[in-house]
Amino acid sequence: MRDNATLDIARLRADTPGCRDQVFLDSAGSSLPPRIVVDTAIDHLRREAEIGGYRAANERIDDLHGVKTAIAELINADPAALALSDSASRSWSDFFYSVPLSPGDRILISGVDYGSNAIAALQRARQTGAVVEAIPSDGSGQLDLDALDAMIDERVKLVSLVHVPTNGGLVNPVAEAARIAHRVGALALLDACQSAGQLPLDVAELDVDALSATGRKWLRGPRGTGFLYVRPDLALSLEPGRLDLHSAEWIAPDDYVLSPDAGRFEFWECSVASRLALGAAVRYLLDLGPAQVYAAIAARAEYLRKALQEIPGVEVRDRGIQHAGIVSFTVDGLEPVQVRDRLAAEAITVTVSHRGSTLLDMTARELNSVVRASPHCFVDYQDLDRFVGAVRTFA
């Protein structure tokens, strides 16, 4: 069923020149930015070339503050609870490495946790004597809340939650898992890398202590951007592992004080052009109407799932009860990389999710890789039909 969202698809496509000559289905990787995002970045770089980076940044001080204001509106947070960074991984790691751990403490990761998160957890366990344990998935593939409830105790210091995994379209029950974690005083850290920009994010409703996200995926911002949300009262109790003269103030020869908010997780040096462009991307989403965008993405993904399921030799690999905008699948007799490359030859862009990105889940399902198609709202149904038709020719 095609969506009845009120979005103006002609305007969306006109705003997205990159979609004119291809079928673009990789917004879960690095999406096509709207023209305003590109223009914002380039215009600022040109201004830097004219007057230098410092003066150019000073001209845009209010706009730089406005980046956090826009993100705060999107996720229902206070701007002071946000820190900007160069990636979701940086944001996630900066928070994770600031959480105190001792021998015997437990870190719980989910069955679909991302490789970078799991590696960081294992490293800290080696360094501190903590232990890493995986929360099983239930029969649907999502986080098993009963198993989490049985595992939780006072030794659990942090529960790593993934909203939407990188290798498929399921949506995990984040709020319920966070409440279980909080029952014993554990922190709930949410990886929203694949949900920011395609699913509603309300940090109050989700009840998470911290949330990390990237700009380049569903938000349609530039690469090299990301943000971290930290619950305001929690931010004041944590000291990041790295500080500079933005995250802290040098007040005496032998003393410093930390920034009084989530800014303590931020460094001074950054790409001003990229951050301004991230703000433009978030405002573009807000102006369109997030609910309409989310509905359009969900409708397109569901259309693809149903169409692919009807092709003999194609297996849709998405699990879960609620689905998001990622559609994962395999084709009998072809490696996912071969499928990707054959589609690329037809000007159709998809990507491949490999076993190492979600090792626990892919190993349990005996999968080495899957093809990943992720349509954003600027993709029209003619594009989707062209993609499905191409898959049918070699399935």
Side-chain angles (χ1 to χ4, degrees):
M1 180 181 296
R2 303 192 178 194
D3 63 284
N4 295 313
T6 57
L7 295 175
D8 182 346
I9 188 65
R11 174 206 165 182
L12 288 171
R13 292 177 70 81
D15 287 346
T16 313
C19 73
R20 294 174 185 169
D21 300 318
Q22 65 172 317
V23 176
F24 188 84
L25 302 174
D26 190 24
S27 286
S30 186
S31 192
L32 299 180
R35 192 189 304 273
I36 185 62
V37 171
V38 178
D39 290 347
T40 297
I42 292 174
D43 288 349
H44 189 76
L45 289 174
R46 286 179 175 147
R47 188 59 175 158
E48 287 185 343
E50 293 169 350
I51 63 172
Y54 281 14
R55 281 184 60 194
N58 287 337
E59 289 180 346
R60 304 298 298 274
I61 288 294
D62 290 342
D63 293 328
L64 282 167
H65 291 319
V67 177
K68 288 186 181 180
T69 302
I71 296 170
E73 180 179 347
L74 185 68
I75 69 171
N76 187 29
D78 187 319
L82 296 170
L84 302 179
S85 75
D86 60 11
S87 67
S89 292
R90 175 76 67 187
S91 295
W92 192 97
S93 296
D94 282 350
F95 177 85
F96 176 73
Y97 280 86
S98 74
V99 176
L101 293 173
S102 301
D105 288 344
R106 300 168 66 204
I107 305 165
L108 303 187
I109 64 174
S110 68
V112 294
D113 228 319
Y114 187 56
S116 295
N117 304 350
I119 290 168
L122 292 170
Q123 183 189 45
R124 288 213 70 200
R126 290 179 182 176
Q127 293 172 340
T128 65
V131 295
V132 179
E133 301 170 48
I135 308 161
S137 300
D138 66 17
S140 75
Q142 72 177 23
L143 188 77
D144 190 328
L145 294 173
D146 290 335
L148 173 60
D149 189 64
M151 295 174 72
I152 206 81
D153 65 21
E154 286 73 15
R155 293 174 299 151
V156 177
K157 300 305 177 184
L158 185 138
V159 179
S160 172
L161 301 171
V162 174
H163 206 177
V164 177
T166 191
N167 67 331
L170 73 83
V171 181
N172 270 316
V174 171
E176 296 88 338
R179 282 193 287 271
I180 294 171
H182 291 157
R183 196 176 70 232
V184 296
L187 299 177
L189 169 56
L190 179 62
D191 180 344
C193 193
Q194 288 292 0
S195 57
Q198 69 142 327
L199 291 176
L201 286 180
D202 184 319
V203 292
E205 289 185 4
L206 292 172
D207 198 23
V208 293
D209 299 288
L211 175 154
S212 62
T214 185
R216 75 174 190 269
K217 297 181 185 291
W218 301 95
L219 287 173
R220 304 178 64 196
R223 296 195 71 172
T225 59
F227 67 87
L228 172 69
Y229 158 81
V230 184
R231 182 164 49 83
D233 58 321
L234 175 62
L236 298 179
S237 69
L238 297 175
E239 180 163 337
R242 293 171 296 275
L243 299 171
D244 76 347
L245 48 65
H246 175 84
S247 48
E249 182 184 357
W250 193 16
I251 59 172
D254 60 352
D255 199 12
Y256 63 90
V257 292
L258 292 164
S259 172
D261 53 29
R264 63 181 58 189
F265 289 94
E266 225 172 50
F267 265 37
W268 180 80
E269 181 57 39
C270 66
S271 167
V272 173
S274 295
R275 288 193 176 175
L276 291 170
L278 173 63
V282 175
R283 284 191 296 274
Y284 184 83
L285 172 59
L286 292 170
D287 289 344
L288 287 177
Q292 287 75 24
V293 171
Y294 304 156
I297 292 169
R300 284 154 173 76
E302 189 59 26
Y303 183 84
L304 285 189
R305 281 191 197 93
K306 291 180 179 178
L308 290 172
Q309 286 168 346
E310 296 174 356
I311 303 175
V314 173
E315 184 169 356
V316 174
R317 298 290 184 169
D318 294 332
R319 305 186 72 199
I321 297 171
Q322 179 186 352
H323 289 140
I326 297 174
V327 182
S328 62
F329 67 99
T330 55
V331 178
D332 290 350
L334 290 174
E335 291 296 321
V337 168
Q338 293 176 298
V339 175
R340 179 200 64 192
D341 292 347
R342 289 194 184 192
L343 290 170
E346 301 293 329
I348 300 171
T349 299
V350 297
T351 194
V352 173
S353 184
H354 296 280
R355 181 171 172 264
S357 294
T358 43
L359 182 69
L360 299 179
D361 179 62
M362 298 284 267
T363 299
R365 292 199 278 158
E366 299 182 338
L367 293 169
N368 287 321
S369 57
V370 293
V371 186
R372 191 179 70 183
S374 47
H376 214 296
C377 63
F378 57 79
V379 178
D380 64 22
Y381 283 89
Q382 289 79 13
D383 283 347
L384 300 183
D385 289 339
R386 180 176 156 194
F387 160 74
V388 172
V391 173
R392 187 177 288 113
T393 62
F394 54 75

